[in-house]
Amino acid sequence: MYDINKYLNSPKSSTNDPHGHFHDVAPWSPRVALKIAAEESIELENDHWQVVFSLREIFRETGPEWTARAITRRLEKEFADAGGKRRLYELFPRGPLMQGCRIAGLPLPQGTKSLSFGSVH
Amino acid sequence: MAWQRLLVACLCVLATTMAAAETPQAGAPAPDFALRDGTGKLRQLADWRGQWLVLYFYPKDDTPGCTTEAQRFRDSHAEFAALGAQVAGVSLDDASSHQAFAKEQRLNFPLLVDEGGKTARTYGALTNLGIAKFAKRHTFLIDPDGRIAKVYRDVEPSNHATELLADIRVFKRN
């Protein structure tokens, strides 16, 4: 089992890319998410967690080949009743993909031109 | 001595047969239960009437396989909800253990306390070693009418949620 102290003692470990994104889904726990979210000035509430958990599930299903377009479609569908993209940006003001993936301990998906939703191809 | 061995063997076969006969099977009404969750709230089978229910038994909070299984259910929560399905975990751990496990893993579904193992026994999902009892890793998919749609007695924690989602989609199509 992953030793959380390893991450907490070395937040910029070799599993991170230069932007702070993890390369895989293993070294992560909700406690890590809380810490990263605090660094991003986000207090995680239920909707934040839903995005985080859904991102991790999508990554599990698709692996590192996941694409920004597919993720965007799926998250907007999940949050359609709550306001869709607008709600997602309320939750993650600097971009649902950029902040969401970082907090979820995941690498950024392919096709992410800017580090947020608006300009993926 | 030979006849004693034969008698013991017969009793073992009889006990196994009786246990199998009492175990709920697919198509039968799901045995009722009333269990408290980690917060103390009473949960009954009828609470989930009208929805699909994934009732999964697991051996122990905060152990590797059970953590993996719970994480997968947690991460798939939106997909289960989209299919009109809810998840509930059951083990013999006490409420404080459930609460700590749920908090640590941010679980978004209830964990039910079956401290004496009565519900696990009813579902044929109890291991009783005499000095210790724990739930087996068995899952029951219960349809919106309260009937058992499928029983899973050979569960792989890392892909069980995916397996269940696929099965629910098939059941809903038919």
Side-chain angles (χ1 to χ4, degrees), chain A residues 1 28-31 34 44 46 49-50 52-54 56-57 60-61 74 78, chain B residues 62-64 67 71-72 74-79 103-106 108 162 165:
Chain A
M1 187 172 278
W28 183 89
S29 78
R31 212 181 295 181
L34 287 168
L44 294 178
N46 285 346
W49 286 112
Q50 185 180 328
V52 166
F53 295 146
S54 291
R56 290 181 64 79
E57 187 57 24
R60 274 201 196 89
E61 290 169 9
R74 185 142 150 196
E78 274 183 27
Chain B
D62 204 24
T63 53
T67 301
Q71 287 172 340
R72 292 303 317 281
R74 175 198 69 193
D75 293 354
S76 307
H77 183 262
E79 286 181 272
K103 186 180 175 191
E104 177 70 24
Q105 296 299 331
R106 286 274 165 178
N108 42 21
T162 306
L165 285 167

Side-chain angles (χ1 to χ4, degrees), chain B residues 43-155:
Chain B
R43 308 277 193 148
Q44 302 178 74
L45 179 61
D47 297 344
W48 285 281
R49 188 57 68 98
Q51 296 175 298
W52 288 86
L53 172 64
V54 173
L55 187 69
Y56 83 98
F57 291 85
Y58 64 95
K60 187 125 188 79
D61 288 338
D62 204 24
T63 53
C66 302
T67 301
T68 298
E69 191 176 15
Q71 287 172 340
R72 292 303 317 281
F73 283 129
R74 175 198 69 193
D75 293 354
S76 307
H77 183 262
E79 286 181 272
F80 279 106
L83 291 170
Q86 300 293 319
V87 175
V90 185
S91 80
L92 277 61
D93 298 292
D94 62 22
S96 62
S97 171
H98 275 351
Q99 218 164 12
F101 184 44
K103 186 180 175 191
E104 177 70 24
Q105 296 299 331
R106 286 274 165 178
L107 299 183
N108 42 21
F109 55 84
L111 297 178
L112 309 181
V113 179
D114 184 23
E115 240 173 321
K118 186 181 167 194
T119 301
R121 189 182 303 111
T122 305
Y123 276 81
L126 181 71
T127 297
N128 189 349
L129 300 176
I131 53 168
K133 286 191 284 191
F134 52 88
K136 294 175 181 171
R137 199 181 304 285
H138 291 176
T139 298
F140 297 82
L141 177 59
I142 299 170
D143 73 16
D145 296 325
R147 290 191 169 272
I148 295 174
K150 189 168 178 180
V151 181
Y152 304 79
R153 298 203 184 272
D154 186 15
V155 170

